[in-house]
Amino acid sequence: MNQTAILKQKIKEWGASKVGFGYLEDVLPENLKHLKTGISIAVRLSDEIISQIEDMPTHTYFHHYRTVNAFIDQMTLKIALELQNLGYLAMPIPASQSVNKDGKKYRGIFQHRTAATRAGIGWIGKNACLVTEEFGPRVRLGTVLTNMDANYDEPIEKSQCGECKKCVSICPALALRGGLWHPGIKREELVDAKACSMHMHNHYQHIGRGVVCGLCIRVCPKGNKVLKR
Ligand code: SF4
Ligand code: SF4
């Protein structure tokens, strides 16, 4: 087995539902370009907890969201330490962190979704979330950047949303614009991130401190089909 395959197997054993390796040099900011390989992981969310969301998030969903983020942060730290032991540079990207930089808010230092599409994990849906074939958008993502060379996975470059607009219709903030994703599309063409964030802040303060919603994840038929009733 080559090094990429060995790492993939280990990361799956540590709890990732999907793992992929993507080539990112052309999409990284200048200061991170030397870390050209992105290891993208997806951790499946609890179907039962997502399915309990009706017209607003639940306390259980908020707790689950934070628990899975913490799990992902632990896992990406473990991956980065493993890579360092092998002699490479490695940097875990925080699972959920927004930084206000260059006038841009509501985004992290590097988009997990970009790494995930490059690594063949899924496409970006009309809900602006990463959508997988197996679990729909019922996943959370993690990314490790490294200077290790890898056997890269085939990037995903086509949306499978088709004519569906269920997430667009259900969004109480009217934040989803209904655009079909393709590589290079600006995030603003898919979602008004400020409208989404303000809605959560103004309406769900009593549930998840105004940082979670989940309606556009719950409604997606790509995720619904995995429910076992
Ligand atoms: S998380 Fe809620 S408010 Fe934000 S886009 Fe999805 S449905 Fe709309
Ligand atoms: S609900 Fe439909 S349009 Fe929205 S992400 Fe899922 S498949 Fe795509």
Side-chain angles (χ1 to χ4, degrees):
M1 258 203 291
N2 61 44
Q3 201 160 52
T4 306
I6 293 169
L7 274 169
K8 266 189 185 173
Q9 193 179 44
K10 275 194 182 179
I11 297 167
K12 282 261 180 97
E13 283 166 12
W14 292 341
S17 310
K18 292 191 79 167
V19 188
F21 285 64
Y23 185 76
L24 300 178
E25 190 179 11
D26 56 315
V27 288
L28 284 167
E30 215 49 54
N31 63 332
L32 295 176
K33 278 195 188 298
H34 58 295
L35 305 173
K36 60 187 184 294
T37 299
I39 304 176
S40 175
I41 62 170
V43 172
R44 192 178 173 187
L45 293 164
S46 157
D47 270 336
E48 183 55 35
I49 290 174
I50 300 295
S51 301
Q52 286 169 5
I53 297 171
E54 289 182 356
D55 53 358
M56 61 173 63
T58 64
H59 288 90
T60 314
Y61 173 55
F62 177 52
H63 180 267
H64 187 53
Y65 178 90
R66 296 209 300 179
T67 305
V68 174
N69 282 343
F71 181 59
I72 288 172
D73 279 333
Q74 293 284 323
M75 210 185 315
T76 53
L77 173 63
K78 219 165 153 177
I79 296 167
L81 293 176
E82 180 82 11
L83 288 162
Q84 286 196 160
N85 284 340
L86 293 168
Y88 300 108
L89 296 173
M91 173 180 174
I93 304 291
S96 180
Q97 180 193 52
S98 289
V99 285
N100 295 341
K101 194 165 175 274
D102 304 330
K104 289 180 179 163
K105 294 181 179 176
Y106 315 111
R107 61 171 68 208
I109 48 175
F110 185 71
Q111 297 288 299
H112 294 292
R113 283 165 284 201
T114 304
T117 59
R118 282 291 177 98
I121 301 288
W123 71 94
I124 297 175
K126 290 178 191 171
N127 55 7
C129 298
L130 197 281
V131 184
T132 64
E133 269 302 333
E134 300 89 335
F135 318 119
R138 295 175 179 218
V139 291
R140 295 235 12 109
L141 299 172
T143 310
V144 179
L145 302 178
T146 176
N147 62 349
M148 183 189 112
D149 280 314
N151 293 81
Y152 297 108
D153 289 279
E154 191 71 37
I156 291 182
E157 302 191 325
K158 198 170 179 309
S159 169
Q160 301 296 327
C161 286
E163 296 300 309
C164 177
K165 289 204 169 182
K166 283 181 183 255
C167 54
V168 179
S169 308
I170 205 168
C171 176
L174 306 177
L176 300 174
R177 306 196 196 278
L180 204 58
W181 169 80
H182 57 80
I185 191 173
K186 291 212 173 345
R187 188 179 175 221
E188 297 72 30
E189 290 180 44
L190 296 175
V191 61
D192 179 344
K194 186 174 180 189
C196 166
S197 183
M198 291 310 290
H199 180 85
M200 295 190 290
H201 179 79
N202 293 336
H203 294 86
Y204 308 140
Q205 205 58 244
H206 60 300
I207 300 171
R209 295 187 203 151
V211 296
V212 293
C213 168
L215 294 184
C216 57
I217 292 175
R218 193 264 295 158
V219 78
C220 179
K222 299 285 183 189
N224 275 337
K225 74 179 179 195
V226 301
L227 283 176
K228 303 203 175 31
R229 290 192 184 275

